[in-house]
Amino acid sequence: MKTAFIFPAFITEYLGNELAILEKLSAVFPEYLLRSSKATGENYINFSVNDPSFTEDELRSQIISYTFSCCLADTLISKGLKPDFLAGYSMGLYAALYAGKAIGFNEGVRLIEQAFLISKQKISGTDAGMGSVIGLTTGEIDEIIGKEVLEVDIANTNSKYAHLVTGRMEDVNRLLETARETGALHVSLLPVKTPYHSRLLAETQHEFRQFINDKVTIRESGYPVISSRDQRQFTSPEEISREFTHNLFQKLDWHTTFKTMLLQDVQHFVECGAGKSLYNISRFVPGDFKVYPMHKIQTLIT
Amino acid sequence: MTVVNDKIKEEVREIVCDFFAEECEVDVEEITDNSNIITDLGGDSLMFLALIEIFTKKYDQEIDLKTIGKYSIKHPVETIGELIDMQLKIIEYGNDIINFDA
């Protein structure tokens, strides 16, 4: 029986008691907030899950999610719980590679900042966003995109009937509207202005690769990582660098990534991060496994 | 078309309440027909999808999700009572729920 550490992207819904849970597991979270503050030059020390300046700002919410994930992964590993595999959902990739000791904490912060800045530059002047569609298949969504000629891509497949879409804001809105009329159970616009995993960001790859080559030291990952793009297993610095650049503008398939880990005999999935978004998505994967969101992790290490 | 009797009604209520109690980590006794799924229980639309899958398997139905989606435009679900009511109609009418306008 194997264990995978899975890392969420930026958190849109906090449980509310994350700080208390971390405090119980380990008292070191303030040190991680301090590290984030030093790495960014911004104040993260006063972080609160109820403070919108942290939770609603796109970049700061990513840094906070990363900080949570790194602290939690370090705490679990120090208590003897070691992963057989790592996998990051979208921007969770950076914390996954930190947990594998392929990058240092500050390098992860710099990568997140740089990915954000380059993405913003590339779409400068374009109103972009992301949305969620529940109740339609990829084929049904692609049909709408084709018929309406929309500059929108499916960003992530969370299950057969749950997807994130990304692209030009006007087109994302049009897609959500048509999807609902077509019979989607639920559609919503996400609080994100960057079209992650969209063709609109394809031009980021050269600049981001250059940044990685010049400024980031990548080491072999101590644990194998499963790509959420193509489900490859990788550990080498070259493959990690490629994953960082392609993760920004290519479609992800978390559903298949999860099933790939099940085929590798993973039965325990530890959600290293705040909230329980990956636990929620895992409901739609058939199989004999258990996902431990943050508030259930204590049962694994006592 | 399935005849929805008292046993099925009771079964559906129990499954819905147990599901939300577990997923939302609240006491099942706290869940009433008037509980708002999002604001009172902290539920989400993925839970709605998961429940539909549970019931289609349990009652061996082949439901086109889009018919439920279209039905829910005219009959939005916000409370546990409304959700139970919709689920009973799905069991009773299957894909013909789309023609049910009352």
Side-chain angles (χ1 to χ4, degrees), chain A residues 259-285:
Chain A
K259 287 199 292 187
T260 301
M261 288 187 276
L262 284 176
L263 288 173
Q264 299 274 3
D265 203 25
V266 174
Q267 283 188 302
H268 284 176
F269 293 86
V270 181
E271 183 167 352
C272 287
K276 53 173 187 171
S277 58
L278 300 183
Y279 165 83
N280 288 344
I281 299 169
S282 72
R283 288 189 196 106
F284 303 99
V285 185

Side-chain angles (χ1 to χ4, degrees), chain A residues 13 132 134-136 140 158-162 180-186 276-277 279-281 283-284 286 293 295-296, chain B residues 19 22-25 38 42-53 63-70 72-73 76:
Chain A
E13 281 181 41
S132 162
I134 292 171
L136 298 185
E140 288 163 342
N158 291 332
S159 81
K160 185 179 176 187
Y161 293 108
R180 189 70 178 109
E181 287 164 5
T182 305
L185 290 171
H186 184 79
K276 53 173 187 171
S277 58
Y279 165 83
N280 288 344
I281 299 169
R283 288 189 196 106
F284 303 99
H295 64 298
K296 303 274 188 190
Chain B
F19 176 85
E22 189 182 339
E23 292 294 335
C24 302
E25 297 179 41
I38 294 171
D44 58 39
S45 46
L46 282 174
M47 291 181 188
F48 184 32
L49 178 60
L51 260 179
I52 290 172
E53 287 195 1
I63 301 288
D64 179 1
L65 273 182
K66 295 202 293 290
T67 61
I68 301 174
K70 284 175 184 167
S72 71
I73 294 173

Side-chain angles (χ1 to χ4, degrees), chain A residues 234-288:
Chain A
F234 61 91
T235 55
S236 77
E238 296 74 27
E239 289 169 301
I240 291 168
S241 173
R242 189 168 186 274
E243 194 68 17
F244 281 146
T245 52
H246 285 63
N247 179 62
L248 264 185
F249 68 91
Q250 286 193 344
K251 175 185 188 295
L252 309 181
D253 186 341
W254 183 254
H255 189 61
T256 306
T257 305
F258 201 94
K259 287 199 292 187
T260 301
M261 288 187 276
L262 284 176
L263 288 173
Q264 299 274 3
D265 203 25
V266 174
Q267 283 188 302
H268 284 176
F269 293 86
V270 181
E271 183 167 352
C272 287
K276 53 173 187 171
S277 58
L278 300 183
Y279 165 83
N280 288 344
I281 299 169
S282 72
R283 288 189 196 106
F284 303 99
V285 185
D288 184 19

Side-chain angles (χ1 to χ4, degrees), chain A residues 47-59:
Chain A
F47 167 72
S48 155
V49 297
N50 300 314
D51 183 342
S53 73
F54 291 105
T55 57
E56 290 177 14
D57 179 276
E58 209 171 304
L59 177 57

Side-chain angles (χ1 to χ4, degrees), chain A residues 118-193:
Chain A
I118 294 173
S119 300
K120 282 288 175 207
Q121 281 166 11
K122 293 296 173 195
I123 59 153
S124 175
T126 305
D127 194 14
M130 297 182 77
S132 162
V133 178
I134 292 171
L136 298 185
T137 62
T138 49
E140 288 163 342
I141 294 172
D142 280 337
E143 198 179 321
I144 296 171
I145 292 170
K147 265 188 191 164
E148 304 268 341
V149 197
L150 303 175
E151 204 166 352
V152 179
D153 296 302
I154 294 176
N156 203 335
T157 295
N158 291 332
S159 81
K160 185 179 176 187
Y161 293 108
H163 310 274
L164 300 184
V165 294
T166 178
R168 285 185 189 279
M169 185 64 92
E170 191 184 335
D171 288 1
V172 169
N173 276 320
R174 180 80 190 123
L175 172 63
L176 297 183
E177 196 182 311
T178 311
R180 189 70 178 109
E181 287 164 5
T182 305
L185 290 171
H186 184 79
V187 298
S188 61
L189 199 61
L190 301 180
V192 180
K193 297 280 185 191

Side-chain angles (χ1 to χ4, degrees), chain B residues 45-100:
Chain B
S45 46
L46 282 174
M47 291 181 188
F48 184 32
L49 178 60
L51 260 179
I52 290 172
E53 287 195 1
I54 289 169
F55 282 115
T56 49
K57 274 183 196 155
K58 180 166 178 59
Y59 292 101
D60 197 22
Q61 288 186 297
E62 282 187 24
I63 301 288
D64 179 1
L65 273 182
K66 295 202 293 290
T67 61
I68 301 174
K70 284 175 184 167
Y71 177 82
S72 71
I73 294 173
K74 284 186 183 171
H75 305 85
V77 166
E78 289 183 2
T79 66
I80 289 291
E82 289 165 350
L83 178 59
I84 291 170
D85 188 50
M86 177 189 277
Q87 190 52 57
L88 289 170
K89 287 196 173 73
I90 295 169
I91 294 167
E92 188 168 6
Y93 298 105
N95 285 317
D96 289 336
I97 190 174
I98 196 69
N99 302 318
F100 188 90

